[in-house]
Structures are given as C-alpha cells and as structure tokens.
Amino acid sequence: MKLGQATIKDIARELNVSSSTVSRALKDYPGISDETKRKVKELAEKLNYRPNAVALSLRKSKSFTIGVIIPEVVHFFFSTVISGIEEVAYANGYNVILCQTNEKLQRELSSIDTMLANQIDGLLVSYSKETEEFSHFSKLMAQNFPIVFFDRVPEIENTVNVTVNDYQGAYDATKHLISQGYTSIAHLAGPKNLTISKKRMDGYQAALRDHGLEINPDWILPCPMGTQEESMKITEQLFEEGGDFPNGFFASNDIAAAGAMMALKKLGYKVPKQVGVVGFSNWQFCSMIDPPLSTVAQPGFKMGEKATQLLLEMIDNKDRSYDATKTLVLETELLIRKSSVK
Amino acid sequence: MKLGQATIKDIARELNVSSSTVSRALKDYPGISDETKRKVKELAEKLNYRPNAVALSLRKSKSFTIGVIIPEVVHFFFSTVISGIEEVAYANGYNVILCQTNEKLQRELSSIDTMLANQIDGLLVSYSKETEEFSHFSKLMAQNFPIVFFDRVPEIENTVNVTVNDYQGAYDATKHLISQGYTSIAHLAGPKNLTISKKRMDGYQAALRDHGLEINPDWILPCPMGTQEESMKITEQLFEEGGDFPNGFFASNDIAAAGAMMALKKLGYKVPKQVGVVGFSNWQFCSMIDPPLSTVAQPGFKMGEKATQLLLEMIDNKDRSYDATKTLVLETELLIRKSSVK
DNA sequence: TTGTACGCGTTATCAA
DNA sequence: TTGATAACGCGTACAA
C-alpha cells in the first residue's frame, strides 16, 4: 500500500483532536463547531485524505462490491452485458469484481469462494457449460445471499433471473425462414445442458410444427463448442452424407451460423439464393460479412443493467427472501439481412 | 453480508479455546497439539469457515486486488487483454476489479479514486482518448504506487509499459501492400493523442519513404471515432472529391478497414483487384468477411498476461522505484488474407 | 502448548 | 461541542 495515504488518525494527531471528532467533522455531523469542521476539512484536503474502504467494509459488514461470474470475457454478448453491469454498478457506488470461468465448473466454484471471502454484497451469475448441478448456488440462497442469474438460468426453484425470450427469438427466426420459402430447415444447436439451448430448440421446433413442416431429427445438429470450425465441419459432413439437404439453417449462435455460411460457400451453394441462414446474438461482424447475416439481436447491455438493478434492490432489501422464481424476460429483435432473403 | 458466515471467534467459543489458537491451528503453525488442530479443522469445515479477506486486507495493508482501467469492455482487443489479466491474477490469488472509462477522463479520475479507496495493490491502465495530461498517474508513481500501462502508453517519464510494436506492424502492413503492387496508399488514422496512432502513422510513412513512394497528406484520413460508419463516410467523400484515388488502404484498426471495404464495394471498386486493404488488430470478424481482411494481429492475451506479471513483480518488490522507463514491446504478426493480395 | 493484548481504519455509543 | 472506548475479523509478539 502507499505510504503516503493519510488516515483519520493522522488528521486527529496533527490537529490535537480525537479521531471521532475528525470522523464527524468530515461527514458534517451535527454538533461540531464550524471552526473545527473547517480545519479538519482543510487538512484532509491538504493531505489528500481518502476514507479507507476496506476498513469501512469491515466496520459495516458491507463492501459495496458485487461479484460477476461469466464464462468468458472475449465474447461479444457477455462483454456487452458486463458493460451494462458496470454502468449501473458504477452509478450506484458499487465496485465490480470479475471472474471468468472459461466454462469450467472448478473455476466457477473457486471463484465464488474467493469472492465470498472478499465479502461481496451480491453475485451476478451466468454459469459454465460444465455446471449441471446447482447446490453451490442454492446453499448461498438458503442463507439469503443475493444472487441474480442472467442469460444462463438454472433449473432450480425460487431463483431471480434475467433472460431474453430465447424461445420467441428462435420461433421468429425460423418462421421468417419459412416465410421466405425455405422449406427444410436445419438447426445448429447449442450445448444441451443450457436452458437457452433448449428454449431455442423448442422455438425452432414449434415454428416448424405451426407451419406444417415436419421435424427431421437428422437436421438437428449439435454444436456444443459453438466455434466456426465446428459448425463448418458439421455442415460439410451433412452435405457429404448424401440424401436430402436442408435449404435453411437456424443457428443458436452467430459464430456457428457464420461457419455454416462458409461451409456452404465452399461447397458451392449460394446464400441466400439456395440456402437461407439466420444466427443468434447479433455479433458485430453480422453486418460486415457477405452476405450480411440475419440474426436475433439480444439486448445484452440492457440485460446487464436490469440484472444489476435487481441485485442492488435485493441487497438494499435486507428482509429479502427467495419465495418464488422471478424471471425478467427481455424481448429479442429479429434483424433481417441478406442471408435469409431470397 | 450473510448471517451464516462463521468467524474464528465462533470456532474458538464453541471449542473453549482462544481465537489465537484457532488461528494458528488453521494455518498449521508449530506448537499446536495435533488434537487441537484436528478439532479446529473439523469444526471449521463443518461451519464452512472462510477467512474474511476484508479483515486480512486491513490487517496486512494488502488487498490482493488489482485494479484495471480500460476504455471499454466491448472491444475485441481489450476484452482479450482482460482475459489475459484475469488468468495471471487468478493464478496468483489476486482479484481483478474492473472499471471502464467509456473514453471519458472524468470517469478515469473517479474510477481511480474508488479503486484507491479500496486499497488495490496496483493498477493496470489503458487510458481514455480524452486523457492528455497524466498528473493523476504521476502523483501515484511519486508515491511508489505500482502502475503498469498497456497498449496506450503515456508520454511521461519512468513508466512501466507493455505495448505491441505498432510501428513495425504498420510498417509491415504498408510494405506488404506496396509489394503487392499497390502504389498509392491511404491511411485511416487513429486519434491523434494516442501514442499507438502516432506509431502506426510513423510506420506507414516510413514504409512509403523506404520504397520511394511519396507521402500524400490528402490521403492521411483521421478516423478519431474508429467506427465503421465514420470510415465509410470518409472513404466515400474521398472518392467523391475527384482527382487521384488511392489504390490501397492501411487502417489503424479493423473496424475502419471494414468500413472502407464496404464503402469501396458500394462505390463499385473491387477488393483486392483494384484496391488493397489491411487493418490492425485481427478482430474475429476479419476471417469471416468477404474478402477476408488482411490485418496486423496484436497479442492481446499475452499483453494482459505480461502486464499483470510485471505488476505483480512490482507489488512483491517493496523497494521498487521508478528510475527509468521500462517498456516491454510485443511483436505483431501480419496476417495476409485475400483483401490485400492481387 | 496455549492465552492475552494490541493494532489495522473507521464509526457508534456513551460519557463528559 | 468533544473525547474515550469498543467493535468489525484477523494475526502476532509476548507472556504464561
């Protein structure tokens, strides 16, 4: 720590008053003479005094710090969410301490441990792909510790969540492909244990059913990694197998969609003329690639803001209780670009 | 804070020993009977005891927390750096508290204030575009407070920095365009007060000079915002003006390069046949757009790692001193894709 | 082998 | 109007 950091005691000593007087003077408490106040504040200014937030945390059992658990920072959607979190936290005088799990459960567990040791006032969580069991969260909730889940929401009881309407987003995207005349639509699906993957899958299937199209299990293609390479390979394999080909792709994320488009190009298929493609998330590159990728935009920044607002409310509300699942669902927006318009 | 959080005192009371005994037992200090150790550890486990890091910070005047000041999280390069920072910090038992300035000086100043109040052990900084004066940093350095600057490095004395070789990267990119037969090369330049912008400009100009090409001031195009829209507009304007046109673009960032490419497409010019384009940073989308964008890759993750390693060394080294500027320069890599190959 | 006492920086309480 | 004291949770020098 810096040597030069002045404390209340330093001011008190120099002014020959007690530290309580200094403390009160600095906070404009009643019952301190204007003269003393003036002197104290002057010296504080001169010594560049800053209250020690660590001591305050200890004293008040409150750290004004919230923890954020996120799979990875280098991910357009998540970094957008972080940005929203940061804004609201900052505006309310809270610090944000960040841990990325890299999709590892072990990392999630130990991150939570250190954060708790640091007396965070609450936790914002989007859990890892490896997380299939949630007792490390429910234990905390049983102690009334404030947690808000965002995007990736666990299937346990009485949680507070913020998600987007993944079902509707997927439904809209698939319906759009159908309305454009694509009749046989494949789905590049996300990791199975994530609720968002299930919801997107459900929306996709519901749209097919509602429009009298049958669901072909061979065209449900799991892309657990969600990388470009993976979906390229999967798409190529699909076409190599022979038999019927899909003429539309709805991907549960943009990267997979881009990978499919690249594979299609390589295979000599024209997008959107022969095959239509829609992604999910609206990464920045969507409008830059050729053809520009239609996609379902998720309000990441807003999600970060809302989740943080909810968390801060829970923190302020000492008599909070987890008595029911409360989920705030943000609507998606289908952005139609060229990749899906015949 | 959670009510259920057990302290050393709780353990001591329950076991009828003093809290110092508990403290020592937990840390396997010599001179504690095995019996006592066992009992203490058992109960600690049972009560789910976690040392209170806040109390430790206060006691030791060390928080095991480092602060990170960054312009924005939603930026491929910076999020990559954060990821590197997080990894090294985590591996060494440090927490990362994050503030984004949104390119605002005011935000930078107040973020530093709160971080200092929270007793961070050191600071990693990439300053805002508005920052043109660095006394808020030099004051801290005068108190021997550990700071490492990364990417955006201030022009003040005796700093510790990690950058990439922006000059060489720009030189390589420009040289490559020349070697591909592009003879009149424009530069989409970054904000003037950033050293990285200057270095990239210098590299660009040096390459031109070294190959006997003249520098045309009309073709140095400032893109202070660095957005796609901005560079599209600038590129279109350039071609509307009439007169000679450049047949090559070296942009100081990928987004600007992508904007230029889109403008060129719109104007009916073929990339790379008629015009070559090279960007800077290697955003994810570079390989996805059409044609794929050649670019200068920056080792962002490595930069985060190295900067954090340096910072932790400074923190450990109590008798540190800022007696000279130390800059670690990481090399860039020119990635040649289709956008610049005739 | 264990306990006592103090201090890290701050503030709330009680007393003067 | 101000001061003395205790407490937040922990570690440690000193005493026993």
Side-chain angles (χ1 to χ4, degrees), chain B residues 82-115:
Chain B
I82 294 180
S83 191
I85 293 172
E86 240 269 317
E87 285 306 307
V88 175
Y90 179 84
N92 288 276
Y94 278 77
N95 288 107
V96 173
I97 113 170
L98 180 76
C99 282
Q100 59 181 342
T101 59
N102 292 324
E103 304 284 6
K104 300 286 173 225
L105 173 59
Q106 269 315 314
R107 188 76 180 260
E108 185 169 297
L109 294 170
S110 68
S111 295
I112 292 177
D113 259 21
T114 38
M115 284 179 161

mmCIF file of all heavy atoms in Angstrom, chain B residues 82-115:
data_model
loop_
_atom_site.group_PDB
_atom_site.id
_atom_site.type_symbol
_atom_site.label_atom_id
_atom_site.label_comp_id
_atom_site.label_asym_id
_atom_site.label_seq_id
_atom_site.Cartn_x
_atom_site.Cartn_y
_atom_site.Cartn_z
ATOM 1 N N ILE B 82 -8.082 -8.280 -21.089
ATOM 2 C CA ILE B 82 -8.689 -8.577 -19.789
ATOM 3 C C ILE B 82 -8.594 -10.058 -19.479
ATOM 4 O O ILE B 82 -8.279 -10.458 -18.362
ATOM 5 C CB ILE B 82 -10.176 -8.168 -19.764
ATOM 6 C CG1 ILE B 82 -10.320 -6.662 -19.878
ATOM 7 C CG2 ILE B 82 -10.840 -8.651 -18.482
ATOM 8 C CD1 ILE B 82 -11.760 -6.201 -19.870
ATOM 9 N N SER B 83 -8.851 -10.848 -20.487
ATOM 10 C CA SER B 83 -8.802 -12.280 -20.294
ATOM 11 C C SER B 83 -7.409 -12.712 -19.820
ATOM 12 O O SER B 83 -7.272 -13.507 -18.887
ATOM 13 C CB SER B 83 -9.180 -12.971 -21.596
ATOM 14 O OG SER B 83 -9.391 -14.328 -21.398
ATOM 15 N N GLY B 84 -6.385 -12.167 -20.442
ATOM 16 C CA GLY B 84 -5.013 -12.467 -20.029
ATOM 17 C C GLY B 84 -4.732 -11.991 -18.624
ATOM 18 O O GLY B 84 -4.098 -12.692 -17.821
ATOM 19 N N ILE B 85 -5.203 -10.798 -18.311
ATOM 20 C CA ILE B 85 -5.026 -10.244 -16.968
ATOM 21 C C ILE B 85 -5.657 -11.170 -15.934
ATOM 22 O O ILE B 85 -5.040 -11.549 -14.944
ATOM 23 C CB ILE B 85 -5.688 -8.854 -16.866
ATOM 24 C CG1 ILE B 85 -4.945 -7.839 -17.740
ATOM 25 C CG2 ILE B 85 -5.734 -8.385 -15.416
ATOM 26 C CD1 ILE B 85 -5.647 -6.491 -17.858
ATOM 27 N N GLU B 86 -6.897 -11.529 -16.216
ATOM 28 C CA GLU B 86 -7.666 -12.368 -15.310
ATOM 29 C C GLU B 86 -6.948 -13.683 -15.031
ATOM 30 O O GLU B 86 -6.867 -14.121 -13.887
ATOM 31 C CB GLU B 86 -9.006 -12.658 -15.989
ATOM 32 C CG GLU B 86 -10.209 -12.190 -15.215
ATOM 33 C CD GLU B 86 -10.664 -13.299 -14.325
ATOM 34 O OE1 GLU B 86 -10.680 -14.425 -14.813
ATOM 35 O OE2 GLU B 86 -10.963 -13.032 -13.160
ATOM 36 N N GLU B 87 -6.404 -14.282 -16.072
ATOM 37 C CA GLU B 87 -5.734 -15.567 -15.908
ATOM 38 C C GLU B 87 -4.568 -15.469 -14.938
ATOM 39 O O GLU B 87 -4.459 -16.246 -13.999
ATOM 40 C CB GLU B 87 -5.229 -16.090 -17.254
ATOM 41 C CG GLU B 87 -6.310 -16.650 -18.146
ATOM 42 C CD GLU B 87 -7.146 -17.708 -17.468
ATOM 43 O OE1 GLU B 87 -6.580 -18.669 -16.937
ATOM 44 O OE2 GLU B 87 -8.380 -17.552 -17.454
ATOM 45 N N VAL B 88 -3.683 -14.519 -15.181
ATOM 46 C CA VAL B 88 -2.497 -14.399 -14.337
ATOM 47 C C VAL B 88 -2.875 -13.975 -12.923
ATOM 48 O O VAL B 88 -2.360 -14.503 -11.934
ATOM 49 C CB VAL B 88 -1.491 -13.402 -14.942
ATOM 50 C CG1 VAL B 88 -0.321 -13.191 -14.001
ATOM 51 C CG2 VAL B 88 -0.988 -13.919 -16.281
ATOM 52 N N ALA B 89 -3.805 -13.048 -12.824
ATOM 53 C CA ALA B 89 -4.234 -12.596 -11.499
ATOM 54 C C ALA B 89 -4.793 -13.785 -10.715
ATOM 55 O O ALA B 89 -4.388 -14.045 -9.582
ATOM 56 C CB ALA B 89 -5.284 -11.501 -11.621
ATOM 57 N N TYR B 90 -5.682 -14.492 -11.338
ATOM 58 C CA TYR B 90 -6.322 -15.635 -10.700
ATOM 59 C C TYR B 90 -5.291 -16.661 -10.241
ATOM 60 O O TYR B 90 -5.331 -17.149 -9.115
ATOM 61 C CB TYR B 90 -7.302 -16.272 -11.684
ATOM 62 C CG TYR B 90 -8.006 -17.477 -11.169
ATOM 63 C CD1 TYR B 90 -9.150 -17.354 -10.388
ATOM 64 C CD2 TYR B 90 -7.526 -18.749 -11.449
ATOM 65 C CE1 TYR B 90 -9.803 -18.469 -9.908
ATOM 66 C CE2 TYR B 90 -8.178 -19.872 -10.964
ATOM 67 C CZ TYR B 90 -9.308 -19.728 -10.189
ATOM 68 O OH TYR B 90 -9.944 -20.839 -9.708
ATOM 69 N N ALA B 91 -4.347 -16.955 -11.128
ATOM 70 C CA ALA B 91 -3.330 -17.956 -10.812
ATOM 71 C C ALA B 91 -2.478 -17.535 -9.617
ATOM 72 O O ALA B 91 -1.889 -18.372 -8.935
ATOM 73 C CB ALA B 91 -2.439 -18.213 -12.025
ATOM 74 N N ASN B 92 -2.409 -16.238 -9.357
ATOM 75 C CA ASN B 92 -1.589 -15.764 -8.251
ATOM 76 C C ASN B 92 -2.413 -15.323 -7.043
ATOM 77 O O ASN B 92 -1.905 -14.616 -6.164
ATOM 78 C CB ASN B 92 -0.701 -14.615 -8.729
ATOM 79 C CG ASN B 92 0.403 -15.107 -9.645
ATOM 80 O OD1 ASN B 92 1.452 -15.552 -9.197
ATOM 81 N ND2 ASN B 92 0.152 -15.065 -10.951
ATOM 82 N N GLY B 93 -3.675 -15.682 -7.047
ATOM 83 C CA GLY B 93 -4.508 -15.361 -5.895
ATOM 84 C C GLY B 93 -4.931 -13.913 -5.809
ATOM 85 O O GLY B 93 -5.263 -13.428 -4.725
ATOM 86 N N TYR B 94 -4.923 -13.229 -6.928
ATOM 87 C CA TYR B 94 -5.360 -11.833 -6.917
ATOM 88 C C TYR B 94 -6.749 -11.689 -7.526
ATOM 89 O O TYR B 94 -7.123 -12.425 -8.438
ATOM 90 C CB TYR B 94 -4.374 -10.965 -7.714
ATOM 91 C CG TYR B 94 -3.166 -10.557 -6.920
ATOM 92 C CD1 TYR B 94 -2.134 -11.459 -6.678
ATOM 93 C CD2 TYR B 94 -3.071 -9.274 -6.383
ATOM 94 C CE1 TYR B 94 -1.020 -11.092 -5.937
ATOM 95 C CE2 TYR B 94 -1.969 -8.891 -5.644
ATOM 96 C CZ TYR B 94 -0.951 -9.806 -5.419
ATOM 97 O OH TYR B 94 0.138 -9.428 -4.688
ATOM 98 N N ASN B 95 -7.477 -10.734 -7.024
ATOM 99 C CA ASN B 95 -8.762 -10.375 -7.616
ATOM 100 C C ASN B 95 -8.584 -9.230 -8.587
ATOM 101 O O ASN B 95 -7.674 -8.421 -8.455
ATOM 102 C CB ASN B 95 -9.743 -9.934 -6.530
ATOM 103 C CG ASN B 95 -10.217 -11.098 -5.700
ATOM 104 O OD1 ASN B 95 -9.812 -11.245 -4.556
ATOM 105 N ND2 ASN B 95 -11.042 -11.923 -6.285
ATOM 106 N N VAL B 96 -9.507 -9.169 -9.517
ATOM 107 C CA VAL B 96 -9.459 -8.092 -10.509
ATOM 108 C C VAL B 96 -10.688 -7.223 -10.354
ATOM 109 O O VAL B 96 -11.813 -7.715 -10.429
ATOM 110 C CB VAL B 96 -9.451 -8.675 -11.932
ATOM 111 C CG1 VAL B 96 -9.583 -7.561 -12.956
ATOM 112 C CG2 VAL B 96 -8.174 -9.461 -12.159
ATOM 113 N N ILE B 97 -10.485 -5.950 -10.086
ATOM 114 C CA ILE B 97 -11.654 -5.080 -10.119
ATOM 115 C C ILE B 97 -11.540 -4.169 -11.330
ATOM 116 O O ILE B 97 -10.471 -3.681 -11.671
ATOM 117 C CB ILE B 97 -11.955 -4.374 -8.773
ATOM 118 C CG1 ILE B 97 -11.765 -2.893 -8.839
ATOM 119 C CG2 ILE B 97 -11.187 -4.935 -7.638
ATOM 120 C CD1 ILE B 97 -12.303 -2.247 -7.575
ATOM 121 N N LEU B 98 -12.669 -4.061 -12.000
ATOM 122 C CA LEU B 98 -12.672 -3.542 -13.359
ATOM 123 C C LEU B 98 -13.450 -2.239 -13.452
ATOM 124 O O LEU B 98 -14.528 -2.098 -12.903
ATOM 125 C CB LEU B 98 -13.365 -4.575 -14.252
ATOM 126 C CG LEU B 98 -13.476 -4.226 -15.730
ATOM 127 C CD1 LEU B 98 -12.130 -4.429 -16.402
ATOM 128 C CD2 LEU B 98 -14.532 -5.088 -16.395
ATOM 129 N N CYS B 99 -12.865 -1.259 -14.142
ATOM 130 C CA CYS B 99 -13.623 -0.056 -14.456
ATOM 131 C C CYS B 99 -13.406 0.314 -15.903
ATOM 132 O O CYS B 99 -12.281 0.348 -16.378
ATOM 133 C CB CYS B 99 -13.182 1.115 -13.581
ATOM 134 S SG CYS B 99 -13.848 1.059 -11.923
ATOM 135 N N GLN B 100 -14.492 0.581 -16.607
ATOM 136 C CA GLN B 100 -14.333 1.083 -17.963
ATOM 137 C C GLN B 100 -14.598 2.585 -17.952
ATOM 138 O O GLN B 100 -15.481 3.071 -17.247
ATOM 139 C CB GLN B 100 -15.249 0.367 -18.949
ATOM 140 C CG GLN B 100 -16.726 0.469 -18.659
ATOM 141 C CD GLN B 100 -17.545 -0.301 -19.691
ATOM 142 O OE1 GLN B 100 -17.077 -0.617 -20.770
ATOM 143 N NE2 GLN B 100 -18.777 -0.607 -19.334
ATOM 144 N N THR B 101 -13.801 3.307 -18.710
ATOM 145 C CA THR B 101 -13.924 4.770 -18.691
ATOM 146 C C THR B 101 -14.872 5.274 -19.758
ATOM 147 O O THR B 101 -15.243 6.444 -19.744
ATOM 148 C CB THR B 101 -12.554 5.415 -18.954
ATOM 149 O OG1 THR B 101 -12.074 4.962 -20.227
ATOM 150 C CG2 THR B 101 -11.563 5.019 -17.893
ATOM 151 N N ASN B 102 -15.243 4.415 -20.694
ATOM 152 C CA ASN B 102 -16.003 4.884 -21.848
ATOM 153 C C ASN B 102 -15.309 6.063 -22.525
ATOM 154 O O ASN B 102 -15.971 6.974 -23.019
ATOM 155 C CB ASN B 102 -17.431 5.250 -21.461
ATOM 156 C CG ASN B 102 -18.238 4.038 -21.067
ATOM 157 O OD1 ASN B 102 -18.056 2.971 -21.647
ATOM 158 N ND2 ASN B 102 -19.104 4.177 -20.082
ATOM 159 N N GLU B 103 -14.008 6.046 -22.485
ATOM 160 C CA GLU B 103 -13.179 7.093 -23.122
ATOM 161 C C GLU B 103 -13.348 8.469 -22.472
ATOM 162 O O GLU B 103 -13.043 9.491 -23.077
ATOM 163 C CB GLU B 103 -13.456 7.187 -24.624
ATOM 164 C CG GLU B 103 -13.277 5.871 -25.403
ATOM 165 C CD GLU B 103 -11.819 5.488 -25.641
ATOM 166 O OE1 GLU B 103 -10.930 6.170 -25.101
ATOM 167 O OE2 GLU B 103 -11.573 4.501 -26.358
ATOM 168 N N LYS B 104 -13.862 8.500 -21.228
ATOM 169 C CA LYS B 104 -14.039 9.776 -20.530
ATOM 170 C C LYS B 104 -12.978 9.977 -19.463
ATOM 171 O O LYS B 104 -12.776 9.111 -18.620
ATOM 172 C CB LYS B 104 -15.417 9.826 -19.843
ATOM 173 C CG LYS B 104 -16.595 9.701 -20.772
ATOM 174 C CD LYS B 104 -16.823 10.972 -21.558
ATOM 175 C CE LYS B 104 -17.893 10.798 -22.604
ATOM 176 N NZ LYS B 104 -17.528 11.356 -23.909
ATOM 177 N N LEU B 105 -12.368 11.140 -19.468
ATOM 178 C CA LEU B 105 -11.347 11.448 -18.466
ATOM 179 C C LEU B 105 -11.942 11.479 -17.059
ATOM 180 O O LEU B 105 -11.371 10.931 -16.111
ATOM 181 C CB LEU B 105 -10.691 12.796 -18.784
ATOM 182 C CG LEU B 105 -9.713 13.315 -17.729
ATOM 183 C CD1 LEU B 105 -8.578 12.340 -17.520
ATOM 184 C CD2 LEU B 105 -9.174 14.686 -18.127
ATOM 185 N N GLN B 106 -13.100 12.110 -16.920
ATOM 186 C CA GLN B 106 -13.741 12.215 -15.612
ATOM 187 C C GLN B 106 -13.942 10.833 -14.997
ATOM 188 O O GLN B 106 -13.693 10.611 -13.813
ATOM 189 C CB GLN B 106 -15.101 12.918 -15.733
ATOM 190 C CG GLN B 106 -15.022 14.416 -15.560
ATOM 191 C CD GLN B 106 -14.148 14.821 -14.386
ATOM 192 O OE1 GLN B 106 -14.240 14.266 -13.289
ATOM 193 N NE2 GLN B 106 -13.244 15.767 -14.611
ATOM 194 N N ARG B 107 -14.379 9.950 -15.836
ATOM 195 C CA ARG B 107 -14.632 8.593 -15.383
ATOM 196 C C ARG B 107 -13.328 7.923 -14.957
ATOM 197 O O ARG B 107 -13.285 7.172 -13.983
ATOM 198 C CB ARG B 107 -15.281 7.849 -16.545
ATOM 199 C CG ARG B 107 -15.783 6.495 -16.251
ATOM 200 C CD ARG B 107 -17.075 6.535 -15.484
ATOM 201 N NE ARG B 107 -17.503 5.176 -15.246
ATOM 202 C CZ ARG B 107 -18.418 4.547 -15.960
ATOM 203 N NH1 ARG B 107 -19.060 5.181 -16.896
ATOM 204 N NH2 ARG B 107 -18.721 3.294 -15.704
ATOM 205 N N GLU B 108 -12.290 8.209 -15.684
ATOM 206 C CA GLU B 108 -10.974 7.665 -15.360
ATOM 207 C C GLU B 108 -10.541 8.136 -13.976
ATOM 208 O O GLU B 108 -10.103 7.343 -13.135
ATOM 209 C CB GLU B 108 -9.973 8.126 -16.424
ATOM 210 C CG GLU B 108 -8.581 7.559 -16.293
ATOM 211 C CD GLU B 108 -7.779 7.873 -17.568
ATOM 212 O OE1 GLU B 108 -8.166 7.400 -18.645
ATOM 213 O OE2 GLU B 108 -6.782 8.614 -17.471
ATOM 214 N N LEU B 109 -10.694 9.433 -13.735
ATOM 215 C CA LEU B 109 -10.276 10.002 -12.465
ATOM 216 C C LEU B 109 -11.061 9.403 -11.297
ATOM 217 O O LEU B 109 -10.478 8.985 -10.297
ATOM 218 C CB LEU B 109 -10.470 11.524 -12.490
ATOM 219 C CG LEU B 109 -9.576 12.273 -13.482
ATOM 220 C CD1 LEU B 109 -10.000 13.732 -13.605
ATOM 221 C CD2 LEU B 109 -8.119 12.172 -13.054
ATOM 222 N N SER B 110 -12.374 9.350 -11.442
ATOM 223 C CA SER B 110 -13.159 8.885 -10.312
ATOM 224 C C SER B 110 -12.991 7.383 -10.098
ATOM 225 O O SER B 110 -13.014 6.902 -8.971
ATOM 226 C CB SER B 110 -14.634 9.256 -10.485
ATOM 227 O OG SER B 110 -15.189 8.528 -11.550
ATOM 228 N N SER B 111 -12.785 6.649 -11.184
ATOM 229 C CA SER B 111 -12.556 5.212 -11.032
ATOM 230 C C SER B 111 -11.284 4.960 -10.232
ATOM 231 O O SER B 111 -11.251 4.103 -9.347
ATOM 232 C CB SER B 111 -12.415 4.546 -12.400
ATOM 233 O OG SER B 111 -13.613 4.635 -13.119
ATOM 234 N N ILE B 112 -10.258 5.717 -10.564
ATOM 235 C CA ILE B 112 -9.005 5.548 -9.842
ATOM 236 C C ILE B 112 -9.210 5.858 -8.366
ATOM 237 O O ILE B 112 -8.716 5.158 -7.484
ATOM 238 C CB ILE B 112 -7.912 6.444 -10.458
ATOM 239 C CG1 ILE B 112 -7.574 5.929 -11.856
ATOM 240 C CG2 ILE B 112 -6.680 6.465 -9.574
ATOM 241 C CD1 ILE B 112 -6.571 6.774 -12.585
ATOM 242 N N ASP B 113 -9.981 6.908 -8.094
ATOM 243 C CA ASP B 113 -10.269 7.265 -6.706
ATOM 244 C C ASP B 113 -10.911 6.126 -5.934
ATOM 245 O O ASP B 113 -10.443 5.761 -4.852
ATOM 246 C CB ASP B 113 -11.200 8.482 -6.678
ATOM 247 C CG ASP B 113 -10.418 9.751 -6.393
ATOM 248 O OD1 ASP B 113 -9.189 9.740 -6.618
ATOM 249 O OD2 ASP B 113 -11.026 10.735 -5.934
ATOM 250 N N THR B 114 -11.972 5.570 -6.478
ATOM 251 C CA THR B 114 -12.633 4.495 -5.733
ATOM 252 C C THR B 114 -11.735 3.276 -5.604
ATOM 253 O O THR B 114 -11.720 2.616 -4.572
ATOM 254 C CB THR B 114 -13.952 4.041 -6.396
ATOM 255 O OG1 THR B 114 -13.795 4.058 -7.802
ATOM 256 C CG2 THR B 114 -15.096 4.944 -6.004
ATOM 257 N N MET B 115 -10.993 3.015 -6.640
ATOM 258 C CA MET B 115 -10.099 1.858 -6.556
ATOM 259 C C MET B 115 -9.053 2.056 -5.467
ATOM 260 O O MET B 115 -8.756 1.129 -4.708
ATOM 261 C CB MET B 115 -9.419 1.641 -7.892
ATOM 262 C CG MET B 115 -10.339 1.007 -8.914
ATOM 263 S SD MET B 115 -9.463 0.816 -10.474
ATOM 264 C CE MET B 115 -10.476 -0.413 -11.270
#
